[in-house]
Amino acid sequence: MSIQVPVKVTNCDKCPYAEVRKVWTLDSWDDVRAIKCTKLDKDVYGYLDWYDNSPVPDECPFVVEVGNEAD
């Protein structure tokens, strides 16, 4: 038996299908990351600083239009 539990994801890096990896730069203080979507099989964000958000892109195969729902 199995169940499906809907999960609300607002940032790509929190998605279970995202692969987050460190991007190395010349500045050792930089904390930069890239995010690859395993379902789209491509980098959706190639360069994100530590303070950058990673909103779910429109091309995400799991985007569902949701009406007015109470959070």
Side-chain angles (χ1 to χ4, degrees):
M1 178 204 282
S2 65
I3 63 170
Q4 283 186 328
V5 179
V7 177
K8 184 175 184 178
V9 175
T10 55
N11 284 317
C12 248
D13 54 355
K14 303 297 183 197
C15 177
Y17 298 108
E19 290 179 352
V20 181
R21 67 183 185 281
K22 180 164 179 57
V23 175
W24 297 97
T25 66
L26 295 175
D27 186 351
S28 63
W29 290 99
D30 279 345
D31 186 15
V32 180
R33 67 194 190 285
I35 301 175
K36 177 183 179 181
C37 176
T38 58
K39 293 299 179 181
L40 293 174
D41 196 30
K42 69 175 193 174
D43 282 346
V44 288
Y45 292 101
Y47 188 97
L48 290 169
D49 277 312
W50 64 270
Y51 54 82
D52 289 331
N53 289 326
S54 57
V56 176
D58 293 334
E59 61 193 340
C60 176
F62 300 107
V63 170
V64 177
E65 293 297 323
V66 182
N68 294 332
E69 62 181 41
D71 284 327

